[in-house]
Amino acid sequence: MQLRCEEYLKSVAPTEEYNGLKAKAAKTLFKAISKSVEKDSDIKWNFTKFLISKDGETIKRFAPTTEPKDFEKDIEEMLA
């Protein structure tokens, strides 16, 4: 059985990190305004980010509120 891309990403990176008060407020807002969000594993917004290795392995999932500069260290560690 072939998984859709969204289902695959949710299965390998089931939740995203919401760090800080602003991010947690955004999570609540996304959940409230999106009819497609029922579980924590649901992708809450189209700006959710996934870090994927060159081999296609999903390394980590980031909340829509996470700025790319905030996961620069994760990218460097993956490339090391």
Side-chain angles (χ1 to χ4, degrees):
M1 174 198 264
Q2 187 174 11
L3 291 173
R4 290 182 22 222
C5 181
E6 179 181 342
E7 295 301 320
Y8 172 76
L9 288 170
K10 290 189 313 185
S11 73
V12 296
T15 59
E16 53 220 8
E17 294 178 9
Y18 284 86
N19 298 317
L21 186 59
K22 181 179 175 182
K24 289 178 183 173
K27 177 183 179 182
T28 302
L29 176 65
F30 296 148
K31 203 168 186 176
I33 63 175
S34 179
K35 296 181 189 316
S36 65
V37 175
E38 297 175 356
K39 300 175 283 197
D40 282 342
S41 64
D42 290 340
I43 297 173
K44 291 159 189 67
W45 202 254
N46 61 343
F47 295 107
T48 295
K49 300 154 192 81
F50 293 88
L51 180 58
I52 300 173
S53 74
K54 65 181 179 181
D55 300 325
E57 178 187 352
T58 302
I59 306 299
K60 199 167 183 182
R61 177 177 171 172
F62 300 94
T65 55
T66 305
E67 295 288 329
K69 65 180 173 55
D70 295 335
F71 55 91
E72 183 176 350
K73 180 180 173 192
D74 295 287
I75 295 170
E76 290 173 353
E77 287 175 5
M78 181 188 71
L79 295 174

